[in-house]
Amino acid sequence: RKEVEQDPGPFNVPEGATVAFNCTYSNSASQSFFWYRQDCRKEPKLLMSVYSSGNEDGRFTAQLNRASQYISLLIRDSKLSDSATYLCVVNRDDKIIFGKGTRLHILP
Amino acid sequence: DTEVTQTPKHLVMGMTNKKSLKCEQHMGHRAMYWYKQKAKKPPELMFVYSYEKLSINESVPSRFSPECPNSSLLNLHLHALQPEDSALYLCASSSWASRGTGELFFGEGSRLTVL
């Protein structure tokens, strides 16, 4: 079992819809959690850190469930510019581990 | 614009060549990383430097040789590479130097093609 798992998608979602991704992690010693966004042929960029209390940044909401060992990302009122690959990232000890990413296509 | 600068952006080299990738950051970060990314795959960690010392080597072949001349610079020396080493090489830095973890700032990457 991979340490960080994501549904690769693609998720094809009409503009304006709400979309949610989950990511599961296998090691309960994982310490911190992030969502990164990567556009085609570009570098990954931090989207949000993820906390147990949940956090929201505009149309984006991230949640962490330590008991079930998953994190989620919710995007409301999706825009065409949200089309990208969303990478779940987990920190354990000195290692930062990337999931394979979920591809999102927002359709006009 | 990214605050981590990588050069060159593109590199084509033969299997007998020696070349280097360079990375520079001026954010005062004391942890720096090399990642390798193949198409449609996530970044794979290669090396981590904390306070200019190599702290993690993810069993990378010796044809890749990292170097951290100072706290702002990170190099990756390439020698006798194979075509399967063709990939996007990403440099990143982080402010959580004591653990080498946390929020990563990535450079735009160096796209390497080995012929």
Side-chain angles (χ1 to χ4, degrees):
Chain A
R1 183 184 172 190
K2 294 194 186 308
E3 186 157 358
V4 180
E5 295 209 65
Q6 295 182 251
D7 182 342
F11 284 48
N12 297 309
V13 174
E15 192 176 7
T18 296
V19 60
F21 313 133
N22 279 345
C23 164
T24 59
Y25 60 95
S26 60
N27 194 320
S28 58
S30 300
Q31 292 145 319
S32 52
F33 308 88
F34 307 88
W35 284 104
Y36 278 74
R37 170 195 170 129
Q38 187 170 24
D39 292 291
C40 187
R41 300 182 72 81
K42 297 282 192 180
E43 76 278 17
K45 292 187 179 178
L46 179 67
L47 180 66
M48 303 179 75
S49 302
V50 189
Y51 307 115
S52 297
S53 55
N55 51 313
E56 186 172 319
D57 182 2
R59 298 182 292 109
F60 297 83
T61 301
Q63 292 274 358
L64 165 63
N65 185 317
R66 282 193 183 272
S68 301
Q69 294 185 194
Y70 75 85
I71 70 172
S72 63
L73 178 67
L74 181 79
I75 305 174
R76 288 181 297 278
D77 186 23
S78 53
K79 312 290 185 193
L80 295 175
S81 56
D82 295 333
S83 297
T85 296
Y86 290 83
L87 297 160
C88 170
V89 176
V90 171
N91 159 347
R92 174 178 56 78
D93 299 324
D94 286 341
K95 294 192 177 181
I96 299 175
I97 303 154
F98 283 79
K100 287 195 167 184
T102 297
R103 284 183 294 139
L104 174 64
H105 297 152
I106 303 300
L107 307 173
Chain B
D1 286 341
T2 181
E3 296 180 76
V4 178
T5 305
Q6 289 188 243
T7 55
K9 289 196 178 348
H10 299 274
L11 177 63
V12 179
M13 61 187 289
M15 289 190 283
T16 58
N17 293 157
K18 280 187 182 181
K19 297 285 184 183
S20 297
L21 306 181
K22 297 186 184 301
C23 175
E24 188 169 3
Q25 57 87 14
H26 293 289
M27 295 178 281
H29 291 171
R30 303 308 293 270
M32 296 185 76
Y33 309 75
W34 280 115
Y35 281 84
K36 172 182 176 180
Q37 187 174 27
K38 304 277 270 185
K40 298 188 190 294
K41 299 283 188 185
E44 295 175 23
L45 182 64
M46 300 175 73
F47 302 104
V48 181
Y49 273 82
S50 295
Y51 288 95
E52 297 101 72
K53 293 209 174 347
L54 183 66
S55 59
I56 294 178
N57 176 342
E58 288 288 293
S59 303
V60 179
S62 60
R63 58 186 184 269
F64 295 92
S65 174
E67 178 198 17
C68 190
N70 61 54
S71 60
S72 300
L73 292 174
L74 186 65
N75 298 324
L76 186 63
H77 302 298
L78 314 171
H79 174 53
L81 295 194
Q82 304 297 311
E84 59 265 27
D85 296 323
S86 299
L88 180 68
Y89 288 84
L90 291 160
C91 173
S93 70
S94 168
S95 62
W96 291 7
S98 61
R99 301 290 301 274
T101 60
E103 176 182 343
L104 295 176
F105 291 80
F106 281 92
E108 292 182 345
S110 294
R111 192 164 296 281
L112 173 67
T113 302
V114 182
L115 301 177

